[in-house]
Amino acid sequence: MRTGRRLIQDYWGILLILVAWQAWVIVNQFNPIVMPTPISVFDALITDPVLFLENTGITFAVALVGMTGGMIIGTSLAVATWLSPLLSGLVSPLAVLFSSVPVVALIPIIARLLGYNVSTEIAIVVIITFFPSFVFASSGLRALPPGSDDLFRVLGASRRATLFRLALPAAMPNLAIALRLAAAHAILAAMIAEFLMGTSGLGYLFAKTNDEFQTEQAFGTSIVATAISVAAFLLASFVERRVRSHFS
Amino acid sequence: MTGEAQFDPDGPAITATDVTKKFTLKGSGDGVLALQELSLAVATGEFVALLGPSGCGKSTLLRLMASLDRPTTGNVTVCGEPPDAIAARHAFGVAFQDHALLPWLTVYENIALPFKLAGRTPDDVAIREMIVLVGLDEFVSARPRQLSGGMRQRVSIARALILDPEVLLLDEPFGALDAVTRRQMNIELQRIWLRDQITTVLVTHSVDEAIFLADRVLVLSGRPGRIILEAIVPFDRPRDRSVMRSEEFHSLADELSLALEPSED
Amino acid sequence: MATDTTWVGRTLLGAVGLVIFFGLWQLIGHYKLAGLSWPPLTSVIDMLTDASRRPLFGRAVSATLSSTGMGYLSGACLGLVLAWSTHLLPPMRRGGDRLAAVLNSVPSIALGPIFLLLLSRDAAPAAVASVHVFFIVYVSVTSGLASASTAHQDLFSVFGAGRFARFRRLEMPSALPALASGLRLSWPAALIGAIIGEWFGAPRGLGILIINAMQNFQIVLLWCAVFLAVIASLTFYGLLTGLERGIYGRFR
Ligand SMILES: Nc1ncnc2c1ncn2[C@@H]1O[C@H](COP(=O)(O)OP(=O)(O)OP(=O)(O)O)[C@@H](O)[C@H]1O
Ligand SMILES: [Mg+2]
């Protein structure tokens, strides 16, 4: 009884959508090819779990590798602009420009430039996760505890010591935020890249089943994708909380 | 043990000669004149306290000594050298009002930080001794946010002293504390200071604190800051609470308070 | 004075950065350093300004902008209303937050076919855009509503203000800056939603132009379409940034 109420309080929105979906399909008497019910989608998921697991693995790997690369490159460039005011002046308007660019629109160009293969998908995830990492790392490197920069100067700290002992640790909470944003972007970007290039992974599976009117599988793919992005988001939020409590 | 006699005759540790500091502010044409033609000398091993109304330029003066800023005109030297050279030698100890402890380091690590910044291996024995000296032995691996305000100030003092600096600069290090804790901290600071008698400049708002701790008290005028009064503190060390109840203490405190008052309107 | 010179210096440096960026683009394209898929900047500009192409670009941009705009408005309204409701009905809050987080995690490409069924070909782009906007606006408004300071809350309680008066006179205004930031960040997200939505059978739009050009190796056309999408994003993003500054000045 208690847990039932709790469940409704916490998940009323999602339950509402599931119920409305089921009811809507029944009332309209849709053909399952057009619109399956939630129950038949779960059926499809259970009948061929290997197919879904395999493609989930591929998408997850692409997203993870790309995100790691994007975060490393973004943070490194932020450190470079921290070290060189000249570089910082040169790239800061570009950074503002690019942070408001609809990056998904760039995916077709990147695909054409690099060819249709897995490394291109990784490159796309790298580019898309690069921007939040760069922006948040740049501001994090400058968000120092009050008075600490004066302290480092009076104590005669070298540039290198200031970077490794002050600026980078101070940037950790911001990097954790970047991680949370990047985690959400990475899986979606990987899926869109797979969808457009038709190589492998959940995006490809979705494109294929959707084109072949295997609607139940297509919906199943979406639900699996949603589940892994929710999981990635929750994991990244957890990491963010831990990092934040350690570094501030 | 009174007055100048005990100090190194080889010359002052800190000098300021005709120092003027002007800040230009965005929007306002003239800018703010924080210090004007100020001169002072602090002898080696001397403890000097600076008093003055809020905004008169005390912190500005301390920042000039600490190499954090440059005078507009005039000259500041520390141990006969420009302040930058002292910073590069890692020979300053500082504690400012916002304690500037790094939140991701433990008490031990925060106190060990000056060693790391000087490129030296932390001296474990010295650090533990210092932690005992400031009474934080139970909190060696605590983080700053687990400490009270007074405990943080003590960590910051310990960090200032750990490298046996040639010069100690303190800017309202106990500003955030209540009167009782503050008095305890004064007694502790004196105890620690007596160990090595490092040349010290202390900025404070408390007349009692200045007299209790310093060999000499300087009072600055309202902005732009100039020295309007200089008082030698005649008490022997170690001083204790009874000093504060003496007649002499009260008359000195009255004299200093009076000098501070006119500029407070 | 010092601040003036640094400002001029920064602006100049930034301009140099932009010139280097566009110069590199031109050079790489001109000498085909990145292969045939990277056209020089000048050929992109030539095609963009070519009078015979104007109707094509005009139709695509206006189609995409109108679906983006519709999605933007409806998403913002939905986000705002849900945020207000869950704020006034606290037991609904956790469920609302979870719903928003899950909706945000549904891959955008999966939303396309669903809206195709639920609505129509023409409405799908706006609907995908609206989901993107909904999430950002919901999250920023809920955090904005929560930010009304406790001191103010106490003041209103002492005055005996009712729940609704407090909401209207205190919490709604305090949430305005957060709403403005949300509205600014939503625009590029809305545009992305509209472009993805168009991939599922919309008759025209920048997304269609992009996907067709990509599949038919019309490289310069592809870059033109992406360029237009970027301009469409930047223009409104700039306008919304101005709006945000105004609101921050007034309510903070
Ligand atoms: N970086 C700065 N830029 C502009 N003006 C400054 C700057 N630092 C200090 N000032 C100005 O110089 C004057 C002296 O400031 P300072 O901080 O030295 O005062 P203070 O004596 O330490 O005051 P308090 O006792 O309140 O700490 C003030 O009027 C202040 O506004
Ligand atoms: Mg001060």
Side-chain angles (χ1 to χ4, degrees):
Chain A
M1 194 59 222
R2 270 285 262 301
T3 53
R5 249 184 70 183
R6 205 37 215 280
L7 209 68
I8 290 183
Q9 258 196 15
D10 289 2
Y11 296 101
W12 60 263
I14 298 151
L15 292 173
L16 203 69
I17 286 187
L18 288 179
V19 170
W21 172 9
Q22 179 86 31
W24 184 63
V25 175
I26 292 172
V27 168
N28 283 300
Q29 294 183 318
F30 278 129
N31 186 324
I33 290 179
V34 180
M35 186 78 185
T37 62
I39 293 163
S40 59
V41 171
F42 282 112
D43 253 10
L45 278 179
I46 297 165
T47 16
D48 198 355
V50 178
L51 177 74
F52 290 105
L53 278 180
E54 227 172 56
N55 286 293
T56 305
I58 294 172
T59 303
F60 194 74
V62 167
L64 193 67
V65 173
M67 185 178 86
T68 312
M71 289 205 63
I72 290 174
I73 297 174
T75 310
S76 311
L77 190 65
V79 167
T81 60
W82 183 87
L83 288 170
S84 154
L86 181 74
L87 187 65
S88 155
L90 285 175
V91 303
S92 62
L94 282 173
V96 172
L97 199 77
F98 270 93
S99 66
S100 53
V101 158
V103 234
V104 168
L106 300 180
I107 293 179
I109 286 188
I110 303 166
R112 270 273 93 87
L113 279 172
L114 301 180
Y116 285 26
N117 53 48
V118 176
S119 51
T120 304
E121 290 167 15
I122 292 176
I124 285 169
V125 179
V126 167
I127 290 171
I128 282 183
T129 50
F130 163 82
F131 289 107
S133 320
F134 174 71
V135 170
F136 277 89
S138 302
S139 61
L141 288 168
R142 291 164 179 86
L144 309 175
S148 56
D149 49 343
D150 282 348
L151 178 79
F152 273 62
R153 274 168 63 198
V154 180
L155 293 182
S158 64
R159 201 85 181 118
R160 193 189 141 84
T162 310
L163 176 64
F164 284 105
R165 298 200 180 275
L166 181 61
L168 275 178
M172 290 315 276
N174 263 24
L175 278 175
I177 299 177
L179 174 74
R180 171 162 57 77
L181 294 175
H185 285 165
I187 287 168
L188 300 185
M191 276 194 71
I192 293 176
E194 291 164 349
F195 175 81
L196 286 174
M197 296 192 278
T199 39
S200 56
L202 286 177
Y204 159 72
L205 186 63
F206 178 79
K208 181 175 149 250
T209 48
N210 198 41
D211 288 348
E212 291 170 0
F213 298 107
Q214 293 173 297
T215 323
E216 279 152 13
Q217 272 86 349
F219 268 82
T221 314
S222 311
I223 286 175
V224 171
T226 307
I228 62 168
S229 13
V230 170
F233 177 81
L234 291 178
L235 192 68
S237 309
F238 172 75
V239 171
E240 186 192 336
R241 271 200 304 279
R242 293 298 295 268
V243 169
R244 194 180 279 281
S245 77
H246 188 271
F247 284 94
S248 52
Chain B
M1 263 241 268
T2 63
E4 299 110 302
Q6 60 177 308
F7 300 119
D8 188 345
D10 287 351
I14 304 175
T15 64
T17 323
D18 295 332
V19 167
T20 298
K21 179 68 193 178
K22 194 172 180 176
F23 290 106
T24 46
L25 290 177
K26 226 198 260 177
S28 84
D30 298 341
V32 179
L33 194 59
L35 297 170
Q36 193 171 31
E37 307 260 299
L38 181 142
S39 297
L40 64 78
V42 180
T44 305
E46 190 184 15
F47 194 130
V48 167
L50 288 178
L51 284 170
S54 178
C56 73
K58 303 181 296 294
S59 299
T60 306
L61 182 59
L62 214 67
R63 288 176 61 84
L64 296 177
M65 295 174 180
S67 81
L68 289 171
D69 218 332
R70 273 171 224 292
T72 313
T73 62
N75 191 27
V76 176
T77 67
V78 180
C79 304
E81 295 174 84
D84 291 341
I86 310 299
R89 278 216 315 264
H90 317 288
F92 276 127
V94 288
F96 293 148
Q97 183 162 13
D98 44 1
H99 48 75
L101 300 181
L102 300 186
W104 53 85
L105 300 182
T106 61
V107 165
Y108 182 95
E109 290 163 339
N110 264 297
I111 297 176
L113 184 71
F115 281 105
K116 303 253 171 80
L117 298 185
R120 290 164 52 181
T121 36
D123 178 346
D124 182 64
V125 177
I127 295 171
R128 289 191 185 277
E129 220 176 84
M130 184 62 77
I131 291 177
V132 174
L133 198 63
V134 295
L136 289 173
D137 24 339
E138 283 171 49
F139 296 89
V140 176
S141 11
R143 305 213 170 234
R145 86 183 109 85
Q146 299 167 320
L147 304 179
S148 72
M151 288 153 92
R152 286 181 210 160
Q153 307 273 26
R154 277 186 267 174
V155 178
S156 142
I157 300 269
R159 184 180 59 190
L161 289 164
I162 190 66
L163 284 189
D164 291 322
E166 293 169 33
V167 171
L168 186 60
L169 303 174
L170 306 173
D171 192 350
E172 299 183 42
F174 310 126
L177 302 185
D178 65 279
V180 175
T181 320
R182 191 164 180 156
R183 187 142 306 169
Q184 285 169 355
M185 292 299 302
N186 286 342
I187 292 171
E188 278 187 55
L189 176 60
Q190 174 184 240
R191 188 165 50 81
I192 299 166
W193 184 82
L194 276 176
R195 211 178 55 163
D196 310 297
Q197 310 219 347
I198 300 161
T199 312
T200 302
V201 179
L202 167 78
V203 168
T204 178
H205 275 290
S206 156
V207 173
D208 287 1
E209 181 171 283
I211 300 175
F212 183 76
L213 285 170
D215 298 308
R216 189 155 55 104
V217 182
L218 303 177
V219 180
L220 268 65
S221 66
R223 203 180 57 232
R226 275 167 293 116
I227 296 172
I228 52 171
L229 184 81
E230 176 173 358
I232 308 267
V233 182
F235 306 115
D236 287 347
R237 295 186 193 274
R239 299 164 184 169
D240 57 20
R241 273 169 234 256
S242 65
V243 166
M244 293 197 176
R245 287 190 289 268
S246 70
E247 197 58 41
E248 270 173 300
F249 191 99
H250 281 293
S251 60
L252 190 53
D254 283 344
E255 188 191 349
L256 293 172
S257 304
L258 208 62
L260 280 167
E261 248 162 41
S263 38
E264 264 178 10
D265 55 345
Chain C
M1 294 163 297
T3 52
D4 284 353
T5 51
T6 56
W7 187 82
V8 170
R10 286 199 75 80
T11 313
L12 272 179
L13 211 55
V16 172
L18 287 175
V19 168
I20 292 177
F21 174 73
F22 287 113
L24 277 178
W25 176 347
Q26 175 70 16
L27 277 181
I28 294 173
H30 188 78
Y31 293 105
K32 303 194 168 47
L33 298 177
L36 293 173
S37 301
W38 186 305
L41 178 61
T42 42
S43 28
V44 175
I45 292 176
D46 281 349
M47 186 183 275
L48 278 174
T49 49
D50 183 353
S52 67
R53 300 267 182 181
R54 204 157 293 160
L56 174 73
F57 289 143
R59 275 199 306 272
V61 169
S62 67
T64 301
L65 277 186
S66 72
S67 6
T68 309
M70 261 155 46
Y72 185 77
L73 287 179
S74 57
C77 290
L78 279 176
L80 203 57
V81 167
L82 187 69
W84 283 346
S85 328
T86 58
H87 187 75
L88 287 172
L89 294 168
M92 289 175 70
R93 257 178 233 175
R94 291 161 63 91
D97 290 353
R98 299 229 159 127
L99 173 67
V102 168
L103 279 185
N104 184 52
S105 298
V106 178
S108 329
I109 46 171
L111 292 172
I114 297 175
F115 287 126
L116 212 60
L117 271 177
L118 276 174
L119 306 160
S120 69
R121 274 165 191 279
D122 305 286
V128 179
S130 120
V131 172
H132 285 188
V133 175
F134 161 80
F135 174 73
I136 299 175
V137 169
Y138 175 81
V139 169
S140 46
V141 174
T142 41
S143 67
L145 284 172
S147 75
S149 77
T150 39
H152 282 132
Q153 293 278 17
D154 290 348
L155 186 71
F156 271 68
S157 306
V158 171
F159 284 151
R163 182 75 195 86
F164 197 73
R166 204 162 66 195
F167 176 66
R168 230 189 67 191
R169 307 231 174 260
L170 173 65
E171 291 159 352
M172 249 164 73
S174 355
L176 274 177
L179 173 64
S181 307
L183 287 177
R184 166 173 62 89
L185 294 171
S186 297
W187 181 262
L191 197 64
I192 290 174
I195 287 174
I196 293 176
E198 285 169 356
W199 294 345
F200 296 91
R204 63 177 70 86
L206 285 174
I208 299 297
L209 208 57
I210 288 173
I211 212 86
N212 285 343
M214 174 190 174
Q215 276 157 4
N216 302 330
F217 282 94
Q218 294 164 297
I219 300 301
V220 183
L221 187 63
L222 171 61
W223 281 72
C224 284
V226 171
F227 199 89
L228 287 173
V230 169
I231 301 279
S233 178
L234 285 182
T235 315
F236 285 88
Y237 190 83
L239 289 177
L240 291 163
T241 308
L243 176 77
E244 187 191 0
R245 294 250 165 87
I247 289 185
Y248 265 71
R250 173 86 174 68
F251 288 96
R252 275 246 163 121

